[in-house]
Amino acid sequence: ATPYRQVRLVSPQSTQDEALQRLDDVPVVVIAEKQEAGRGRTGSDWWNAPRGLAASVAFRKQSADLRPVSLIAGVAAVRALPE
């Protein structure tokens, strides 16, 4: 299994900023109920729908094999949902 760290927040300014600030030796997934100042990859404003989740993944590229990234994101999303 790929080790990663999951951080759950209620309403950060940006999940992307939080993920980059918390990144160390393992990938980090930040999940929030909403963002106050989210932005897309190109810098455009980003809002999530009511009852939706905002999420960002940050990792250090150590190889060209990025296949585990989508699995990490999917597992983190499932774990964030209430039972």
Side-chain angles (χ1 to χ4, degrees):
T2 302
Y4 70 97
R5 186 163 44 119
Q6 183 183 117
V7 178
R8 297 180 190 190
L9 303 170
V10 175
S11 184
Q13 287 296 305
S14 163
T15 57
Q16 186 176 48
D17 289 345
E18 291 286 342
L20 291 173
Q21 289 171 5
R22 296 165 188 266
L23 179 62
D24 49 30
D25 58 334
V26 297
V28 61
V29 178
V30 175
I31 301 166
E33 293 177 17
K34 66 177 183 174
Q35 303 179 87
E36 298 299 325
R39 64 185 182 286
R41 288 181 292 171
T42 61
S44 57
D45 291 341
W46 186 268
W47 296 276
N48 55 297
R51 298 184 59 203
L53 291 175
S56 292
V57 178
F59 58 93
R60 299 193 189 287
K61 185 177 176 184
Q62 297 178 355
S63 71
D65 185 5
L66 302 177
R67 289 176 292 177
V69 173
S70 62
L71 178 60
I72 292 169
V75 169
V78 168
R79 288 183 176 174
L81 297 174
E83 293 189 27

